[in-house]
């Protein structure tokens, strides 16, 4: 049975991992006959957002502890991820990717990326194992993969431009479609960058995971 690593960035679309995308990733991995294990960095998240009002809370939360909510407690510190134990990697979206795993939400083309995440993703790439980036997560591609690696982040021009300035080659893509860089084994799909419903998000994520398993 194939085993897939999932890296989460907290819990909640505005300050962590997008919950629908994360759960759909788990569901479709199992439906394709594989298993998964979840990881998250043991760091403080950038800030805390009240998802009812959109207001920022004056408190601190831990990315690993928050991500454990989605994983039902079955999650490990990113530092313990052994790439040799997995066949592929998936990174769901949510603003946690752009706030906790990187600074893309604030610095765009001048953003930095969490070093432990970069090393992990590059280890998957060096072992020729595919990685699927969902929603805003393709903003990480330029930090991790060679110049010109194909990626999609939906159709927002400003976001796409920043992604290209970081080194990826952006391809405009529909919500139910994917972009595959076969040479680099990198898959991306817009998910909630474009999706207006959970059904639309599911269609693209399912297609991205099918592409991932087709590469294996």
């Amino acid at each position: 049975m194939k085993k897939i690593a999932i890296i989460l960035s907290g819990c909640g679309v505005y300050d962590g991992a997008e919950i629908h995308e994360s759960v759909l990733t788990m569901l479709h991995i199992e439906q394709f006959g594989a298993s998964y294990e979840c990881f998250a960095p043991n760091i403080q998240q950038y800030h805390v957002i009240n998802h009812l009002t959109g207001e920022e809370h004056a408190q601190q939360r831990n990315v690993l502890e928050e991500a454990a909510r989605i994983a039902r407690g079955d999650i490990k510190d990113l530092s313990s991820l052994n790439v040799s134990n997995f066949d592929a990697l998936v990174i769901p979206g949510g603003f946690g990717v752009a706030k906790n795993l990187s600074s893309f939400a604030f610095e765009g083309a001048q953003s930095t990326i969490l070093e432990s995440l970069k090393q992990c993703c590059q280890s998957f790439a060096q072992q020729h194992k595919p990685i699927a980036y969902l929603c805003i997560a393709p903003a990480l591609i330029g930090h991790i993969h060679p110049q010109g690696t194909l990626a999609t982040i939906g159709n927002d021009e400003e976001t796409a431009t920043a992604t290209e300035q970081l080194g990826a080659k952006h391809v405009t893509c529909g919500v139910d479609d994917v972009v595959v860089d076969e040479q680099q084994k990198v898959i991306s799909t817009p998910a909630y960058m474009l999706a207006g419903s959970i059904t639309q998000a599911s269609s693209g994520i399912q297609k991205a995971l099918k592409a991932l398993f087709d590469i294996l």
Side-chain angles (χ1 to χ4, degrees), residues 32-55:
F32 280 115
S35 66
Y36 63 83
E37 191 167 348
C38 295
F39 298 85
N42 186 13
I43 58 174
Q44 294 302 112
Q45 62 185 55
Y46 178 81
H47 61 187
V48 178
I49 299 295
N50 180 327
H51 279 60
L52 186 61
T53 65
E55 296 175 352

Side-chain angles (χ1 to χ4, degrees), residues 50-176:
N50 180 327
H51 279 60
L52 186 61
T53 65
E55 296 175 352
E56 185 174 346
H57 273 318
Q59 59 178 265
Q60 290 189 331
R61 294 186 185 178
N62 179 279
V63 172
L64 179 58
E65 291 178 4
E66 289 298 293
R69 296 175 181 270
I70 299 176
R72 296 172 57 87
D74 188 8
I75 192 168
K76 294 179 180 177
D77 190 328
L78 177 61
S79 65
S80 70
L81 197 166
N82 184 343
V83 175
S84 298
N85 293 337
F86 296 91
D87 298 287
L89 171 65
V90 182
I91 305 180
F95 272 105
V97 172
K99 294 178 177 179
N100 303 327
L101 303 186
S102 75
S103 61
F104 186 79
F106 314 107
E107 297 177 323
Q110 285 72 50
S111 61
T112 58
I113 184 175
L114 189 67
E115 187 60 31
S116 59
L117 174 73
K118 182 176 182 178
Q119 291 177 2
C120 176
C121 293
Q122 288 184 336
S123 292
F124 272 92
Q126 288 161 6
Q127 294 186 30
H128 306 290
K129 296 178 177 181
I131 306 177
Y133 298 86
L134 314 180
C135 190
I136 193 70
L140 304 173
I141 289 173
H143 288 287
I144 294 162
H145 300 279
Q147 185 90 12
T149 298
L150 299 180
T152 189
I153 207 157
N155 58 17
D156 181 76
E157 188 174 339
E158 184 178 351
T159 308
T161 298
T163 302
E164 287 208 319
Q165 288 173 341
L166 284 166
K169 180 175 175 55
H170 184 264
V171 180
T172 300
C173 175
V175 65
D176 59 349

